[in-house]
Amino acid sequence: MIKFSFRRWLCSCLVVGLSCCLLAGCSVNVSGGKTLTVATEPTFPPFEFQGKGGELEGFSIDLMRAVAAAANFQVEFQSLPFDGMIPALQAKTIDAAISSMTITEERAKTVAFSRPYFKAGLAIAIRADNQDITGFDSLQNKKIAVQIGTTGAAKAKSVTGAQVSSFDSAPLALQELQNGNVDAVINDAPVTLYAVNTGNLQGIKVIQQLLTEEFYGIATAKKSPYLSLINQGLATVFKDGNYQLIYQKWFKSTPPILPDKLPFANSKADKLNSLSLLLQALPTLLIGVLVTLQLALISVIFGLIGGSLIGILHLSTIKPVRLLTRAYVDFFRGTPLLVQIFMIYFGLPAIFQEMGFTFSLNRLVAGVIALSLNSAAYIAEIVRAGIQSIAIGQSEAARSLGLNSFQTMRYVIFPQAFQRMIPPLGNEFISLLKDTSLVAVIGFEELFRKGQLIVAENYRAFEIYAMVAVIYLCLTLVSSQAISRLEKWMKLRGV
Ligand code: GLN
């Protein structure tokens, strides 16, 4: 007799389900030609951005589609951060990248470029009321915001005495300028001009248009079989007038003449061995460690103070106080820390500016505020649960000995509760330590950002990120050791 086994039935369902998913994922395109996964970072209008309905739009997107049609292949766009594109091409997780990527000699050592498809260059953007900066030479000792891993970032690095902060995307760097935290932004001229001309970026002017002359190319992995296909498609769209149409659509002018070859050969890099690479990166990463620790320690102190207060207030007999603390905890626990960081650093100054006040936040202050507010919500819950875990008889006994409610809390309840709070507080510190990496989005150069900056220069993502992970691991292991020692010590002392 066949017995029905629920477990076996569940397993078969899982196997069938998984196989279906895998088959769907690997499905072959039947509409003709290969499907190429093409990466783009859609934060660079008018080249690549998300339209009103969320679909990809822009000059590069139209061009890539035209190239694909001309060379008979299909395109599947994949959104990727700009600084992750070259590592992804190397790892062959994508087939090509079209993301206004300037063809540079350095990059051509790691990836292969198609023939140039656009002529651009860098421009300097400053606030409209700035009379001080008149050109590249007057950028010395100034604060400059750039997008990480771009030619603009490399140019800013060459300015003597400049304080360069790097952001994940060009709009964030421009927002930083608008908020008054930096003096200038070095970015691709067509993108900055588009933002200014469309009115999306107010109070900003562009000086020194085309500081450099650059050409964009479609990038593929070295020796990729798709490079010739893409070049063939590009040649066709240049010849059949499609390119001119797309250019006219986005730039309302006729395109300049482009070279049909790369300015230099697709050469090969002399690869540094992993050990030397790591030794070279270590000092920079260690500076990042110091910043990470500073951020975590300051934030945990504020978080502890705020969290204890909120946790105790939550036990109040006054209902509105309880409701307020509940709302605080719900808000900060229920929204992503990343969103909170963006709100505090970019959102607050922007809203104050709109109201006519000048208000800007220092990166460290913004990072500490965001991390402390967030961890205070978790700590409040730990404190509340710790206090509530002490048997009611304890406070009754204390009261019968004549202690008032403050003394009961201070001498009887809190010391016992604190011992129970140490393990969850330790966990909270470890989470906080790891969460500091999120502050990288506001250009704060802590450990993770330092790693990203190194990868943006040498494209050795695996080694560098592995090292960053190992350093975080060491930090958390050391912290958890310290916390368990503290716990033992408190037990011994009978605190
Ligand atoms: N053209 C610039 C570069 O290649 C910026 C590109 C971008 O941010 N998408 O570095």
Side-chain angles (χ1 to χ4, degrees):
M1 199 176 78
I2 304 171
K3 261 210 311 208
F4 176 78
S5 152
F6 178 71
R7 246 172 76 207
R8 201 175 299 155
W9 173 80
L10 195 69
C11 285
S12 342
C13 284
L14 274 175
V15 170
V16 173
L18 271 175
S19 322
C20 289
C21 290
L22 282 174
L23 277 176
C26 306
S27 70
V28 186
N29 198 309
V30 282
S31 53
K34 295 183 194 60
T35 299
L36 263 58
T37 309
V38 180
T40 191
E41 188 195 41
T43 58
F44 220 55
F47 294 100
E48 46 270 341
F49 60 100
Q50 283 198 335
K52 296 219 166 59
E55 73 295 348
L56 285 177
E57 269 183 35
F59 172 81
S60 320
I61 307 297
D62 286 353
L63 181 67
M64 194 68 220
R65 288 201 173 117
V67 168
N72 191 33
F73 63 86
Q74 312 288 318
V75 190
E76 200 182 286
F77 285 106
Q78 187 175 314
S79 201
L80 214 63
F82 185 73
D83 62 319
M85 256 165 228
I86 293 184
L89 283 169
Q90 274 178 303
K92 300 209 169 66
T93 42
I94 50 173
D95 299 315
I98 185 157
S99 206
S100 315
M101 192 183 284
T102 304
I103 304 168
T104 67
E105 197 157 8
E106 215 35 54
R107 288 175 181 161
K109 288 179 185 162
T110 317
V111 290
F113 281 107
S114 70
R115 59 185 284 179
Y117 70 82
F118 192 87
K119 183 176 166 191
L122 297 172
I124 302 168
I126 53 173
R127 288 168 70 92
D129 54 10
N130 187 329
Q131 308 297 331
D132 201 22
I133 300 172
T134 48
F136 185 69
D137 294 333
S138 45
L139 284 179
Q140 285 191 9
N141 304 319
K142 294 277 187 296
K143 288 191 198 154
I144 309 173
V146 293
Q147 182 189 350
I148 189 167
T150 58
T151 43
K155 190 82 187 163
K157 229 177 135 184
S158 71
V159 181
T160 33
Q163 248 177 285
V164 182
S165 30
S166 27
F167 291 84
D168 287 337
S169 67
L172 287 182
L174 290 166
Q175 172 85 66
E176 184 75 348
L177 176 65
Q178 216 175 16
N179 287 355
N181 290 333
V182 290
D183 305 305
V185 165
I186 303 186
N187 184 38
D188 292 33
V191 174
T192 312
L193 285 171
Y194 184 83
V196 171
N197 295 340
T198 49
N200 290 337
L201 194 65
Q202 277 168 6
I204 302 293
K205 64 181 175 193
V206 175
I207 53 163
Q208 251 193 332
Q209 290 180 30
L210 301 190
L211 188 64
T212 51
E213 183 181 74
E214 301 184 1
F215 292 99
Y216 296 163
I218 302 174
T220 65
K222 284 259 176 223
K223 298 203 191 106
S224 162
Y226 307 124
L227 185 64
S228 57
L229 200 65
I230 290 170
N231 271 330
Q232 183 194 320
L234 271 172
T236 311
V237 296
F238 279 126
K239 224 185 282 154
D240 66 12
N242 233 335
Y243 177 84
Q244 283 75 2
L245 283 179
I246 299 172
Y247 195 98
Q248 182 70 35
K249 171 180 166 191
W250 290 101
F251 300 101
K252 311 270 176 287
S253 60
T254 44
I257 308 226
L258 293 173
D260 57 4
K261 296 223 164 38
L262 291 189
F264 33 74
N266 267 323
S267 55
K268 215 175 159 335
D270 356 301
K271 219 173 166 194
L272 211 63
N273 72 45
S274 299
L275 190 67
S276 333
L277 175 82
L278 294 181
L279 285 178
Q280 220 175 56
L282 195 61
T284 315
L285 292 179
L286 288 181
I287 297 176
V289 169
L290 292 182
V291 181
T292 291
L293 284 177
Q294 179 193 25
L295 195 59
L297 288 172
I298 304 179
S299 308
V300 84
I301 292 172
F302 284 118
L304 265 174
I305 300 171
S308 307
L309 260 168
I310 298 166
I312 292 171
L313 284 177
H314 191 69
L315 298 169
S316 153
T317 45
I318 308 162
K319 202 170 172 200
V321 174
R322 277 205 316 271
L323 283 178
L324 267 177
T325 52
R326 179 81 265 149
Y328 177 90
V329 171
D330 283 346
F331 179 79
F332 282 97
R333 270 195 335 186
T335 52
L337 176 57
L338 194 60
V339 177
Q340 293 163 17
I341 296 172
F342 269 85
M343 259 175 61
I344 292 170
Y345 191 65
F346 295 110
L348 278 187
I351 200 97
F352 275 107
Q353 305 251 337
E354 259 167 45
M355 282 155 53
F357 302 108
T358 30
F359 173 84
S360 68
L361 271 179
N362 166 292
R363 242 184 287 277
L364 176 68
V365 176
V368 166
I369 294 180
L371 288 170
S372 313
L373 288 176
N374 185 272
S375 72
Y378 289 91
I379 292 175
E381 283 296 275
I382 297 172
V383 171
R384 180 192 57 76
I387 292 174
Q388 281 180 331
S389 75
I390 304 299
I392 190 84
Q394 296 272 338
S395 57
E396 284 167 1
R399 289 297 182 86
S400 63
L401 286 174
L403 300 187
N404 65 25
S405 56
F406 176 76
Q407 288 167 326
T408 308
M409 184 56 94
R410 163 79 180 79
Y411 297 107
V412 181
I413 309 291
F414 205 77
Q416 297 183 70
F418 190 62
Q419 224 182 63
R420 296 188 186 173
M421 289 176 209
I422 294 213
L425 281 179
N427 283 342
E428 178 49 31
F429 178 69
I430 288 171
S431 306
L432 182 75
L433 195 65
K434 291 183 291 175
D435 284 348
T436 51
S437 60
L438 290 174
V439 179
V441 292
I442 57 174
F444 199 77
E445 290 185 16
E446 41 62 70
L447 174 57
F448 173 59
R449 189 51 149 215
K450 286 277 186 207
Q452 273 186 311
L453 286 166
I454 299 174
V455 175
E457 264 180 34
N458 63 17
Y459 313 117
R460 302 283 288 270
F462 179 72
E463 288 105 322
I464 301 293
Y465 289 136
M467 189 160 182
V468 169
V470 169
I471 298 178
Y472 273 116
L473 185 64
C474 293
L475 290 179
T476 52
L477 287 179
V478 170
S479 315
S480 65
Q481 269 300 318
I483 292 157
S484 60
R485 289 221 174 150
L486 176 72
E487 208 184 324
K488 275 195 200 120
W489 178 80
M490 287 192 70
K491 268 206 185 111
L492 277 178
R493 295 266 319 253
V495 181

